[in-house]
Amino acid sequence: GAVVSQHPSRVICKSGTSVKIECRSLDFQATTMFWYRQFPKQSLMLMATSNEGSKATYEQGVEKDKFLINHASLTLSTLTVTSAHPEDSSFYICSADRYGESSGANVLTFGAGSRLTVL
Amino acid sequence: QKEVEQNSGPLSVPEGAIASLNCTYSDRGSQSFFWYRQYSGKSPELIMFIYSNGDKEDGRFTAQLNKASQYVSLLIRDSQPSDSATYLCAVNNDYKLSFGAGTTVTVRA
């Protein structure tokens, strides 16, 4: 089945530094990927839609200059948290939409997630 | 009003019983509906999806959709301790998924 690889799974950084998270589709091409953020005991909140070869589309309230998204190829999207602060500590999850022949539908497949802790 | 609403739980059921999870959504134009399971500290994994009114069964799971009432549910039959997790309802709006806050299910052995 479709596999989405996300790296790193955990990262701890100092306040003010930048952190890059990679999301790769391993066995399919993903023209669109989605980045979510999840705080403890809360649901997933869509941050942005990453489009291959074009600018990402950010959800309301998400700072595009702080959360840089690059989707340079059909299998790789990256999220860079710039000048991270403790309030950015969260679980970041990427996902990709893939048409499944067995299901006959587009289904969102998630990466394993990246837990960011900013000290 | 939240787009997707679920009872947060926790829902505790004995092993072998049926767990019933409910979800309501606000956008009447929503076309597809998904149930994901999320274990603590892990990312969500798809259980099943449903597009049409009525029931859809997949193994021990049954999804039920009522578009007129803007309601979707998930039944877990013969609940097992391994089913203990948070279950997220998701609704597709304009090609983006909106998630509910999730219902935490605990299956007692």
Side-chain angles (χ1 to χ4, degrees):
Chain A
V3 177
V4 175
S5 173
Q6 190 172 341
H7 177 80
S9 58
R10 288 181 180 273
V11 58
I12 301 173
C13 69
K14 293 182 179 180
S15 184
T17 61
S18 295
V19 174
K20 179 185 285 188
I21 301 170
E22 293 188 348
C23 181
R24 295 180 184 273
S25 56
L26 296 186
D27 57 352
F28 66 102
Q29 294 181 332
T31 55
T32 303
M33 290 185 176
F34 302 90
W35 286 95
Y36 288 85
R37 179 170 55 183
Q38 186 178 34
F39 292 106
K41 298 195 181 300
Q42 294 186 25
S43 189
L44 281 75
M45 296 301 297
L46 180 64
M47 299 175 66
T49 302
S50 173
N51 305 300
E52 187 270 335
S54 65
K55 292 182 179 180
T57 305
Y58 290 82
E59 296 300 301
Q60 190 174 8
V62 177
E63 299 176 58
K64 62 180 181 180
D65 294 330
K66 180 171 184 61
F67 299 100
L68 301 179
I69 292 173
N70 183 279
H71 196 154
S73 76
L74 287 171
T75 59
L76 174 64
S77 175
T78 61
L79 168 68
T80 301
V81 183
T82 63
S83 186
H85 288 91
E87 58 266 30
D88 298 322
S89 299
S90 187
F91 192 44
Y92 292 85
I93 314 173
C94 72
S95 64
D97 205 19
R98 186 192 186 195
Y99 178 78
E101 291 185 1
S102 60
S103 62
N106 281 0
V107 176
L108 208 59
T109 301
F110 286 91
S114 299
R115 188 162 302 282
L116 171 63
T117 302
V118 185
L119 302 176
Chain B
Q1 181 185 7
K2 293 181 181 178
E3 292 183 31
V4 183
E5 297 208 43
Q6 296 180 251
N7 290 328
S8 61
L11 175 65
S12 180
V13 298
E15 184 175 358
I18 295 175
S20 178
L21 309 172
N22 303 319
C23 173
T24 58
Y25 58 95
S26 60
D27 187 346
R28 188 171 288 278
S30 301
Q31 293 296 318
S32 52
F33 309 86
F34 302 78
W35 283 100
Y36 284 84
R37 177 174 59 196
Q38 186 176 26
Y39 293 109
S40 180
K42 305 294 185 182
S43 66
E45 52 184 3
L46 181 69
I47 298 174
M48 63 190 305
F49 59 88
I50 186 167
Y51 292 159
S52 303
N53 277 328
D55 296 357
K56 180 181 179 182
E57 187 174 314
D58 185 357
R60 295 186 295 112
F61 299 97
T62 299
Q64 299 173 317
L65 175 62
N66 183 325
K67 290 186 178 180
S69 300
Q70 295 175 238
Y71 172 93
V72 59
S73 65
L74 179 71
L75 298 178
I76 307 174
R77 290 183 301 281
D78 188 22
S79 296
Q80 301 296 310
S82 59
D83 294 327
S84 297
T86 296
Y87 289 80
L88 303 172
C89 172
V91 176
N92 194 325
N93 295 309
D94 294 329
Y95 303 103
K96 294 185 293 188
L97 282 189
S98 296
F99 285 83
T103 299
T104 300
V105 174
T106 301
V107 181
R108 308 186 305 271

